[in-house]
Amino acid sequence: MYYKPCIVLLCCAIALVPVSSLASPFNQAISLYAGYIPSLGGNLYSYEQENTFGSKTGIDGINKSQTGFSTATINRLLGATTGATFKLVMYDFFTARIGANYFKSVWGGKGKTVYNDGADRLLECNYSFDGFDIPVTVGIIIPFYKDMKITFSCGIAYAWGRYKNKFESDAPLSYKGQFKGSAYPLVINTEGEYFINDKFAISTSLSYYRGTTNVIKDSKKGDGSTDYAPIDFSGYRFLLGVSYYFKPI
Amino acid sequence: MFKKAIIYISILIFIVGANTSAFAQRYFGVGIHVGGQHDVGDITSFYPAAQTEPQNSAIFGVAIRLSIPFFFIRTGGDASFTINKGKVLEDQATVGVDEYNVQYTMLPLYAGLQFPLRDRGAFYVGGGVSYFYGTGSVKLSNGTSQDIDATAFGAGFLAGMQLHVTSSFSLYMEWIYVDARSKPVISTTGTYNANNYKDLFIDYSGHRIMIGVMYYVL
């Protein structure tokens, strides 16, 4: 309940810290980056997948095969992500950060499986996931001379996601689900920056998010079914990018 | 004996490391490593309520590393060997699996940035993919056994540190996470699979920790 005001206050504090003086113990930087998210959305569980298609583990368990059916493996989603982070560096060793990231599934989530509704039937499955998040973290920097910095930070994010699924067979049957919701996942980030000169650095980072929404009701109308699913933001992110420091390091 | 060996090796590494400076740039290295993975073939990704004794495996591998000042490419090959088989402890009649033993060969290809710590070592983080070929067996709930023959391709990342011991040798420690599952390759025999489909996939996902020695040819 108090997360939102805290995030807003922290954002304001970071943005308002003055850095105009070269003697100031504060520096600021902007990072732009892109990367990927293995297993975006986790196993994408929903109630109908268990109730109608017999999968207790969403996209993992829905894969089945049977002689005489041309099935194709439905892989977990691989997501692409891009974003920017504003960093406040305090006394060279401490940092507070706020970012904005967009993510979207770019591979996986499509294929064919079999299920039984009295007779074996081929089922075409489609999954997709997209959303954005605003992570706010604080952490510690280990600078190595003027060459590089290694940073470890943690905090929380406001994350919003949209998970869609679609199941079609020649029964005829068509289930479509769309779930939208937000959560406040835990964020842990490790970043390395290699300075090309005293203001620009190339960077790489590993982030781990851990957080899931409550179970959300399907917002897709007109397909004759109502599904329920949580939206899972948990997972690792690998990022590559560039940083610009407002003052020389 | 074992403790003494560790102490002597540690002292040797410290003395050599403390007295070595101005190492040459390392461009191409070949390493060997040992490591481990917990919960190989995680059966709960197939049946989430399964109470299991997870499989643990040792990993032996070869690493090939190309690097220029701040980029690196890491490939090689790893083979897993079972320390203890995985077991489903309760409700095997529903899950359809009693015991499993997954062994795999992994071919990784990762690239990323490395952060040299002067001439003492490097910290590096990279992303990439791994290819898996798995063998082994699954003992089913009806008492029969089926062999595993499953390939998979997955994405993940690698993070590691190197400590330069001499101008040619480095010790390294790496953490590799990969997310990879095969297609269904085995028909389980529990009530969960009432229609006798091929439904059990092999889950190669997980964390691997490895430690090794690398020799830099160039």
Side-chain angles (χ1 to χ4, degrees):
Chain A
M1 184 171 177
Y2 298 106
Y3 289 133
K4 283 182 185 173
C6 289
I7 291 171
V8 171
L9 286 173
L10 191 55
C11 297
C12 292
I14 291 170
L16 293 175
V17 169
V19 292
S20 54
S21 164
L22 280 172
S24 165
F26 298 99
N27 196 352
Q28 288 171 313
I30 287 280
S31 285
L32 301 174
Y33 46 81
Y36 63 86
I37 309 173
S39 197
L40 178 63
N43 71 7
L44 301 168
Y45 173 86
S46 73
Y47 167 75
E48 280 298 348
Q49 291 178 75
E50 180 169 357
N51 184 51
T52 307
F53 308 119
S55 169
K56 288 181 181 292
T57 50
I59 195 169
D60 294 338
I62 206 149
N63 281 295
K64 297 176 177 75
S65 64
Q66 172 80 308
T67 307
F69 288 86
S70 179
T71 56
T73 308
I74 307 145
N75 292 296
R76 280 198 185 199
L77 300 176
L78 178 69
T81 180
T82 185
T85 293
F86 179 83
K87 306 171 186 175
L88 174 65
V89 178
M90 299 165 280
Y91 298 96
D92 289 336
F93 295 102
F94 306 100
T95 184
R97 300 167 168 217
I98 181 165
N101 304 309
Y102 172 73
F103 51 83
K104 180 179 172 50
S105 55
V106 292
W107 183 83
K110 288 180 184 173
K112 292 175 182 172
T113 184
V114 286
Y115 81 106
N116 189 288
D117 65 352
D120 292 337
R121 296 189 186 280
L122 194 65
L123 182 73
E124 194 168 338
C125 307
N126 271 282
Y127 299 81
S128 66
F129 196 99
D130 65 344
F132 67 90
D133 65 83
I134 301 170
V136 179
T137 61
V138 292
I140 292 172
I141 300 170
I142 303 175
F144 289 91
Y145 306 94
K146 295 287 185 185
D147 296 340
M148 50 181 274
K149 291 172 188 276
I150 293 175
T151 306
F152 183 85
S153 63
C154 60
I156 60 165
Y158 170 77
W160 180 90
R162 177 173 54 192
Y163 156 38
K164 292 185 204 173
N165 61 29
K166 189 166 81 173
F167 305 96
E168 290 177 309
S169 82
D170 57 359
L173 171 143
S174 178
Y175 282 109
K176 291 177 184 171
Q178 179 170 267
F179 312 90
K180 292 184 234 178
S182 60
Y184 296 93
L186 166 77
V187 180
I188 299 171
N189 180 270
T190 303
E191 180 189 64
E193 288 175 302
Y194 189 97
F195 284 84
I196 299 164
N197 58 36
D198 58 3
K199 283 193 166 186
F200 280 98
I202 54 172
S203 67
T204 184
S205 69
L206 274 181
S207 296
Y208 178 66
Y209 282 58
R210 178 82 183 188
T212 305
T213 66
N214 294 327
V215 173
I216 294 167
K217 189 177 176 183
D218 171 16
S219 63
K220 201 88 173 175
K221 310 287 184 198
D223 62 345
S225 74
T226 303
D227 202 355
Y228 298 87
I231 298 176
D232 190 357
F233 297 102
S234 303
Y236 292 96
R237 302 176 181 203
F238 172 71
L239 306 166
L240 280 171
V242 292
S243 298
Y244 172 75
Y245 281 76
F246 293 176
K247 289 195 303 184
I249 59 160
Chain B
M1 181 69 185
F2 187 62
K3 280 184 184 171
K4 276 185 182 176
I6 290 174
I7 291 166
Y8 288 143
I9 290 168
S10 303
I11 291 169
L12 182 67
I13 289 167
F14 178 79
I15 291 169
V16 172
N19 288 290
T20 311
S21 62
F23 286 149
Q25 172 65 46
R26 292 161 165 80
Y27 294 107
F28 178 74
V30 178
I32 53 169
H33 54 252
V34 296
Q37 184 188 351
H38 173 66
D39 207 358
V40 179
D42 178 14
I43 208 84
T44 59
S45 63
F46 168 71
Y47 192 88
Q51 301 297 308
T52 63
E53 183 179 308
Q55 178 182 330
N56 294 295
S57 291
I59 294 170
F60 295 91
V62 175
I64 297 169
R65 197 169 192 281
L66 292 166
S67 59
I68 57 170
F70 47 82
F71 286 107
F72 77 94
I73 297 173
R74 156 80 161 82
T75 183
D78 295 271
S80 82
F81 297 90
T82 304
I83 296 170
N84 68 286
K85 293 178 183 176
K87 290 177 184 168
V88 177
L89 302 175
E90 286 186 348
D91 206 13
Q92 294 95 332
T94 305
V95 183
V97 175
D98 277 1
E99 201 173 88
Y100 53 98
N101 175 18
V102 179
Q103 293 171 327
Y104 62 81
T105 301
M106 176 176 79
L107 302 176
L109 179 61
Y110 292 83
L113 295 185
Q114 65 174 356
F115 303 94
L117 307 173
R118 294 283 153 164
D119 54 2
R120 294 295 173 204
F123 165 71
Y124 50 98
V125 179
V129 293
S130 289
Y131 172 80
F132 291 88
Y133 173 63
T135 57
S137 63
V138 176
K139 189 178 170 191
L140 300 166
S141 59
N142 66 358
T144 62
S145 185
Q146 286 195 30
D147 290 337
I148 295 169
D149 180 3
T151 58
F153 196 68
F157 61 81
L158 172 155
M161 291 279 286
Q162 287 210 348
L163 172 67
H164 301 326
V165 181
T166 71
S167 57
S168 298
F169 282 94
S170 299
L171 290 177
Y172 64 94
M173 191 166 184
E174 288 181 345
W175 163 37
I176 294 181
Y177 172 79
V178 191
D179 190 80
R181 289 161 200 81
S182 76
K183 66 180 184 182
V185 290
I186 284 173
S187 299
T188 56
T189 54
T191 54
Y192 184 46
N193 186 23
N195 302 300
N196 201 31
Y197 296 138
K198 272 190 179 173
D199 61 340
L200 181 64
F201 54 91
I202 306 302
D203 191 348
Y204 299 106
S205 305
H207 302 272
R208 294 153 181 88
I209 302 291
M210 293 170 301
I211 187 165
V213 181
M214 182 161 285
Y215 174 70
Y216 280 92
V217 181
L218 295 171

